[in-house]
Amino acid sequence: MHRSASRLTRVLACAAVPVILTVAGCSSDSGKASGSDGGKKSDSSASAKPNAKPSPTLEKAAYAALPDPCKVIQAQTVDTLTPEAKDKNGTATKSNDLNSRASCSWNGLDEDGLKGSQYRWLSISLFRYDSHASLGGANKRAEDQYNKQVETAKATEGAQNVKAEPAGGIGDQATSVVFTSKKDVDFFNTTIVARTQNVVITLDYNGAAYEGAGAPDQAKLLQDAIAAAKETVASVDASNQQKPAEQPAQPPAQQS
């Protein structure tokens, strides 16, 4: 009896082992599904926010100001392009923001007695652009304006024999547009559109002959217009150069 009881006890103990392991296994699986680790991961994923895209950095405008439009070319250049100019200082156009847009014009009638008269008209306009979060970078905005000005020149009302081509050596990009038009006489027109960084320059130059004078030389008009446009680009750059700060005067060295 004693021997049978011992044997029965050992059998029951062995039979109970799988049951305990099974229960433990179920408890373990249940813990993984609803335990604290799983909850934390779920909460963390739900609360995570997508990384916001950083705003693109816009370049700082290269030029912060415009020069006086009536002083962007030298007095000698004015004399060459508009002989006998009515006002050699030029006539500035009114603007409510001279730091963004400004223009000046000159005109003159050179009379030569029985040989007739030569009329010349010159206009220089400046447009400056800043970088803007919703409008784009300063240079890109200037480039867009440059392209518009070229198209505007090519589409001038009454323009005939329009010829547009790149004009090298003037700022970052430049185009010359030449054409003829007729009012009371034939006018020979030249427009130079140039961009230097964030500033766009539109230079209009035309000439006409009166009272039997010979027609203006279109090639000479273009040559003079290009020279004036180069001067204007240089003036824009020079007007934005920072002057070196003056150094304070040093006291004289004391003699020992």
Side-chain angles (χ1 to χ4, degrees), residues 143-160:
E143 185 174 359
D144 290 343
Q145 176 66 13
Y146 163 83
N147 291 326
K148 289 180 182 178
Q149 290 293 312
V150 172
E151 294 305 313
T152 298
K154 291 162 61 177
T156 300
E157 184 177 359
Q160 301 176 350

Side-chain angles (χ1 to χ4, degrees), residues 89-104:
N89 293 321
T91 302
T93 301
K94 292 183 179 180
S95 172
N96 58 3
D97 186 2
L98 291 173
N99 201 39
S100 296
R101 58 180 59 204
S103 63
C104 189

Side-chain angles (χ1 to χ4, degrees), residues 21 55 77 103 107 139 162 165-166 191 193 198 223 225 233 241:
L21 292 176
S55 300
T77 303
S103 63
N107 69 84
N139 284 10
V162 179
E165 58 185 10
T191 297
V193 182
N198 59 310
Q223 179 183 347
V233 169
Q241 296 300 320

Side-chain angles (χ1 to χ4, degrees), residues 15-252:
V17 170
V19 176
I20 295 172
L21 292 176
T22 302
V23 173
C26 292
S27 299
S28 176
D29 290 342
S30 175
K32 289 182 179 179
S34 60
S36 59
D37 289 343
K40 287 181 180 178
K41 290 180 180 179
S42 177
D43 292 342
S44 175
S45 300
S47 62
K49 295 182 179 179
N51 293 329
K53 293 182 179 180
S55 300
T57 302
L58 298 175
E59 81 273 10
K60 181 180 179 181
Y63 297 129
L66 291 176
D68 183 335
C70 295
K71 295 180 179 179
V72 293
I73 57 175
Q74 301 176 12
Q76 182 179 353
T77 303
V78 173
D79 288 338
T80 299
L81 272 66
T82 56
E84 303 299 326
K86 291 181 179 180
D87 185 353
K88 293 187 178 184
N89 293 321
T91 302
T93 301
K94 292 183 179 180
S95 172
N96 58 3
D97 186 2
L98 291 173
N99 201 39
S100 296
R101 58 180 59 204
S103 63
C104 189
S105 63
W106 299 259
N107 69 84
L109 182 65
D110 185 11
E111 299 178 313
D112 194 10
L114 297 177
K115 294 183 179 181
S117 304
Q118 291 285 345
Y119 174 78
R120 297 290 185 273
W121 181 80
L122 170 67
S123 173
I124 299 177
S125 298
L126 308 173
F127 302 87
R128 191 189 68 82
Y129 294 88
D130 284 314
S131 291
H132 192 283
S134 61
L135 300 177
N139 284 10
K140 180 59 170 61
R141 295 181 66 198
E143 185 174 359
D144 290 343
Q145 176 66 13
Y146 163 83
N147 291 326
K148 289 180 182 178
Q149 290 293 312
V150 172
E151 294 305 313
T152 298
K154 291 162 61 177
T156 300
E157 184 177 359
Q160 301 176 350
N161 305 316
V162 179
K163 182 180 180 181
E165 58 185 10
I170 310 175
D172 295 302
Q173 56 186 149
T175 298
S176 67
V177 182
V178 298
F179 58 91
T180 58
S181 61
K182 190 172 184 66
K183 298 177 183 178
D184 49 343
V185 295
D186 289 329
F187 273 77
F188 295 81
N189 304 269
T190 298
T191 297
I192 304 293
V193 182
R195 180 182 70 84
T196 175
Q197 301 278 12
N198 59 310
V199 172
V200 177
I201 298 162
T202 301
L203 184 149
D204 294 305
Y205 183 46
N206 64 51
Y210 290 91
E211 300 172 353
D217 184 343
Q218 183 72 78
K220 181 65 165 56
L221 292 177
L222 176 59
Q223 179 183 347
D224 289 343
I226 289 175
K230 289 181 178 179
E231 266 190 58
T232 304
V233 169
S235 293
V236 171
D237 186 64
S239 68
N240 282 271
Q241 296 300 320
Q242 293 184 350
K243 297 180 181 179
E246 295 183 1
Q247 298 296 326
Q250 298 294 329

